[in-house]
Amino acid sequence: MRYWLLGVAAACLGGCDGRLTMVDEPAPPRNLDGDYFNRGVDLWWELDSQWDGEAFRVYGKRTGDTEYFFIAEVTSCAQGGCVYRDINVSPKRMYEYYVASVDPETGMEGASPYSVEVFVPLPDPPPIPAEVDAVALDDAVYLRWDDNGATAEDFSVYRVYQDGADEDYLLGETDSPAFLDILAENGKTAAYYVTSVDVQGHESAASRVVESTPRPDYTGEVAYTYQGVPESSGFRFQESDDHDAVMDGDDADRHFRIEYDDGRYWFVPGPGAYIHPTRKKTSALKCGPGADPDCVSWETAPTAGYLSEDLQLELGYTYMFYVPGDDDKMRYGAVRPTHTGACPNHFSIFDWAYQTQAGNPGLSPPEG
């Protein structure tokens, strides 16, 4: 940015007796400065100690023009300073500005002692974020995307928005390709998109919109086998940690119970509950924040093909269930056994997730 000194002219008024009377010009603005940001030029200046509430006039011109032209009048200043934003600018041009205070009675101006030059560049934003993914967590949503926005030399941050029905909301900014929405609520679907922003405020177009519905999950649930401790062998998916998921294996409300037979563990569906015969090898129930780069989980439950038959339990696999909720509407749940053993009774340790939104098969994040 460059500064140019301006000439200051004195003004006098002639009295009736022929004598000249000097008229004091209003206190000029101090420390005028300006800079470009996001398709506009921002000007700011300080108020002189002798300032008496006068308005300010902003003048500007394109470099090379012979005369300044009046742009705007600023009447509102706060905390010892004033600001003005000029959005009527064109890229690849240099603009020159000065500001003058104006006496409301005489019209006399007190100009800033210098002008400022500001160059307006091409508005070239960073690349649009791609591969945006939303991971459903317990009362939270973990968003992640590729880091191609950071390939721009002037990259600054990513902006994360929630796509609302009436208007969009800026949730926050981050300089890394991930964001955790801790305001999300279980059972409520939210839509998101991401943009890239450079240091000059240029914002890219929006990424694709992704949706996610948070759901309860639990790590390290312990249930015994029906043959060993029947009163702790049943399980029912719960919408809250306030309710115990492990119950009596004969309870009619159970979604399944665990049985042991001839060295093998089994999932046995309860009344009205179903299990899908397909299972998937996974490294975690969910691949949320802090997961390994090669984390593998199961994204969405199948919507058909469920059976009421027993299915063998094997470690390191995720199983999908289709079960009645407290309102008798059908919902999806996922279970991933992590350990089995006997001390002295046979037991199983597993992680689970439950989608509280009826009919929504979204449970865990995508594979990888």
Side-chain angles (χ1 to χ4, degrees), residues 12 20 28 32 47 50 75 99 104 124 127 129 132 182 205 224 231 252 268 315 322 335 341 347 363 367:
C12 303
L20 293 177
L32 173 65
L47 300 175
Q50 302 300 314
T75 59
V99 179
D124 187 18
V132 180
I182 59 174
Y224 288 90
E231 62 271 21
V268 180
L315 303 182
Y322 190 51
V335 174
F347 65 89
L363 286 159
E367 297 180 359

Side-chain angles (χ1 to χ4, degrees), residues 126-149:
I128 302 172
E131 300 179 12
V132 180
D133 174 39
V135 179
L137 303 176
D138 193 350
D139 272 329
V141 172
Y142 179 58
L143 298 160
R144 57 192 178 187
W145 53 90
D146 67 2
D147 204 15
N148 63 340

